[in-house]
């Protein structure tokens, strides 16, 4: 079968690899209907994350049709259309029971700990705890993009809002105008934020953010961005800050714009070590977040997608066949595309 392999920084290509197959009785194999490229895929693509000598099979978001199940799989069967969250989990450990599937004691992350999903098919460990069955049709081209966001970016934006304690009538600030940041705008509005400030610089993304519910736009960076947000909030800062980038500058900005007693939800994969200690301590700032347990959020978010109350699939602005995956990476790396959907 065909699969995407990153062999060196900015060297991504399609390879013929062994067909996905059942290894453990708790496994399933899905035929990928749609997959996509994530902003976090750009970290290894740009050379920031080490690669195995054999390269890395890429991709951690997909919708698929179950082709085969192991002898111990009970909740899905051949022919089911399923969502594949970016982490696999057994669904039964203490952390899964608490809704924190990304901390599963037997789990891991697709592409890093098992096969990648930018492929024709993928093996799913712990199929019962990982896959989420949906009653949709695989040829529903209007609905699939919205469903696909539940496997990562919409669930991650929601996680940022939840851990930043967004609530009715408050002010939320979102750092980053990528797909996760834009989904964070959706999430903040959905949870009742009265004012939503997006920190971003790209006109097309800003326009989409406004349609999603952003009330204010800050295009400055660094100290200028902090000053701008403070000015818009009467010098107090935002109740909730969604940090959707992962850089040191983004975290410093988050600390600079959150109000005393406020909260920061960080979901950008961090590529830095320190968090300013003094301001976070003396201002009683809560810092939370991490890899989003998107599997846990699907029950809550799916009805809003199916009923059209939220349209997160609009973050996909380019669709390519799997053979053109390298073009998709290039386009996202050069900010020519926001998020690319792939069709095997």
């Amino acid at each position: 079968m065909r699969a995407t392999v990153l062999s060196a920084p900015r060297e991504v290509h399609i390879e013929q690899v062994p067909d996905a197959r059942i290894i453990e009785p708790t496994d399933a194999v899905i035929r990928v209907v749609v997959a996509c490229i994530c902003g976090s895929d750009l970290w290894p693509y740009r050379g920031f994350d080490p690669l195995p000598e054999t390269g890395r099979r890429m991709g951690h978001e997909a919708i698929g049709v179950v082709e085969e199940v192991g002898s111990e799989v009970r909740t899905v069967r051949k022919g089911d259309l399923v969502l594949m969250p970016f982490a696999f989990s057994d669904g039964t450990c203490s952390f899964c029971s608490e809704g924190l599937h990304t901390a599963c004691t037997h789990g891991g992350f697709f592409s890093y700990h098992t096969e990648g999903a930018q492929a024709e098919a993928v093996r799913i460990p712990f199929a019962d705890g990982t896959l989420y069955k949906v009653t949709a049709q695989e040829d529903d081209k209007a609905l699939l993009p919205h469903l696909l966001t539940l496997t990562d970016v919409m669930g991650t934006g929601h996680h940022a809002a939840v851990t930043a304690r967004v609530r009715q009538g408050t002010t939320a600030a979102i750092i980053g105008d990528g797909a996760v940041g834009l989904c964070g705008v959706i999430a903040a509005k959905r949870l009742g934020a009265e004012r939503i400030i997006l920190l971003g610089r790209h006109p097309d993304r800003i326009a989409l953010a406004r349609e999603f519910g952003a009330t204010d736009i800050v295009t400055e960076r660094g100290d200028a961005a902090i000053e701008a947000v403070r000015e818009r909030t009467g010098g107090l800062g935002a109740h909730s800050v969604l940090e959707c980038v992962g850089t040191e500058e983004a975290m410093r900005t988050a600390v600079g714009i959150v109000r005393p007693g406020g909260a920061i939800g960080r979901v950008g994969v961090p590529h830095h070590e320190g968090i300013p200690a003094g301001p976070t301590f003396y201002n009683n700032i809560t810092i939370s977040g991490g890899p989003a347990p998107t599997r846990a959020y699907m029950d809550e978010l799916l009805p809003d997608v199916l009923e059209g109350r939220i349209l997160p699939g609009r973050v996909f602005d380019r669709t390519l066949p799997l053979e053109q995956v390298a073009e998709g990476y290039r386009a996202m790396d050069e900010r020519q595309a926001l998020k690319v959907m792939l069709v095997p």
Side-chain angles (χ1 to χ4, degrees):
M1 70 174 196
R2 299 170 300 154
T4 302
V5 176
L6 179 66
S7 57
R10 289 188 166 82
E11 292 186 15
V12 64
H13 50 275
I14 296 296
E15 286 189 6
Q16 288 291 329
V17 300
D19 288 345
R21 63 184 181 87
I22 300 293
I23 296 177
E24 301 292 339
T26 51
D27 289 348
V29 171
I30 65 170
R31 171 177 55 82
V32 175
V33 175
V34 287
C36 56
I37 302 171
C38 184
S40 63
D41 290 333
L42 298 180
W43 290 108
Y45 179 76
R46 292 167 176 163
F48 288 100
D49 294 345
L51 290 173
E53 290 186 6
T54 55
R56 175 169 292 138
R57 298 265 293 275
M58 298 297 290
H60 53 256
E61 307 149 275
I63 297 175
V65 173
V66 177
E67 292 287 285
E68 186 180 1
V69 297
S71 60
E72 296 182 13
V73 174
R74 299 289 181 265
T75 61
V76 296
R77 61 183 181 179
K78 184 174 181 178
D80 286 344
L81 187 71
V82 291
L83 308 182
M84 187 205 88
F86 67 84
F88 59 89
S89 54
D90 63 19
T92 60
C93 78
S94 295
F95 296 112
C96 289
S97 299
E98 295 168 4
L100 193 60
H101 295 73
T102 46
C104 177
T105 54
H106 300 109
F109 299 97
F110 287 98
S111 180
Y112 281 82
H113 303 129
T114 188
E115 302 168 13
Q118 293 166 9
E120 291 183 294
V122 61
R123 178 180 75 91
I124 310 295
F126 303 111
D128 284 336
T130 301
L131 295 175
Y132 189 96
K133 181 181 175 181
V134 290
T135 54
Q137 301 300 315
E138 67 172 285
D139 59 354
D140 190 339
K141 295 182 179 180
L143 179 61
L144 288 183
H146 304 301
L147 292 176
L148 184 55
T149 66
L150 299 182
T151 68
D152 189 347
V153 290
M154 185 61 229
T156 296
H158 178 69
H159 187 56
V162 168
T163 56
R165 303 190 308 202
V166 175
R167 59 194 185 278
Q168 195 75 32
T170 57
T171 295
I174 294 95
I175 300 174
D177 59 6
V180 171
L182 293 173
C183 287
V185 173
I186 295 174
K189 181 178 181 180
R190 183 179 174 276
L191 293 175
E194 181 177 301
R195 194 171 187 184
I196 301 172
I197 304 169
L198 176 76
L199 282 72
R201 308 182 74 179
H202 301 87
D204 54 339
R205 302 181 185 191
I206 288 171
L208 187 55
R210 287 193 182 279
E211 293 182 41
F212 283 164
T215 59
D216 298 79
I217 303 296
V218 169
T219 58
E220 296 89 346
R221 285 186 174 178
D223 291 340
I226 294 172
E227 182 180 351
V229 174
R230 289 281 175 182
E231 182 180 344
R232 284 166 170 78
T233 56
L236 301 178
H239 299 87
S240 302
V241 178
L242 289 63
E243 196 280 276
C244 303
V245 179
T247 63
E248 184 174 8
E249 181 185 40
M251 178 51 69
R252 191 176 71 82
T253 300
V255 171
I257 65 177
V258 67
R259 66 189 281 153
I264 298 170
R266 58 194 303 233
V267 296
V269 179
H271 284 71
H272 63 95
E273 294 297 328
I275 295 175
T280 56
F281 178 79
Y282 288 105
N283 287 331
N284 284 280
I285 304 305
T286 297
I287 299 177
S288 188
T294 58
R295 180 62 175 78
Y297 293 137
M298 289 176 180
D299 280 341
E300 178 181 353
L301 296 175
L302 180 62
D304 282 1
V305 167
L306 294 178
E307 295 172 25
R309 288 190 291 269
I310 61 174
L311 300 170
R314 293 184 64 193
V315 298
F316 291 106
D317 56 352
R318 189 171 302 188
T319 300
L320 295 173
L322 183 62
E323 291 85 352
Q324 295 180 27
V325 65
E327 167 60 19
Y329 273 86
R330 186 200 61 77
M332 287 182 60
D333 181 43
E334 297 177 1
R335 297 290 193 273
Q336 294 177 2
L338 169 59
K339 190 167 179 66
V340 175
M341 187 162 64
L342 300 170
V343 181

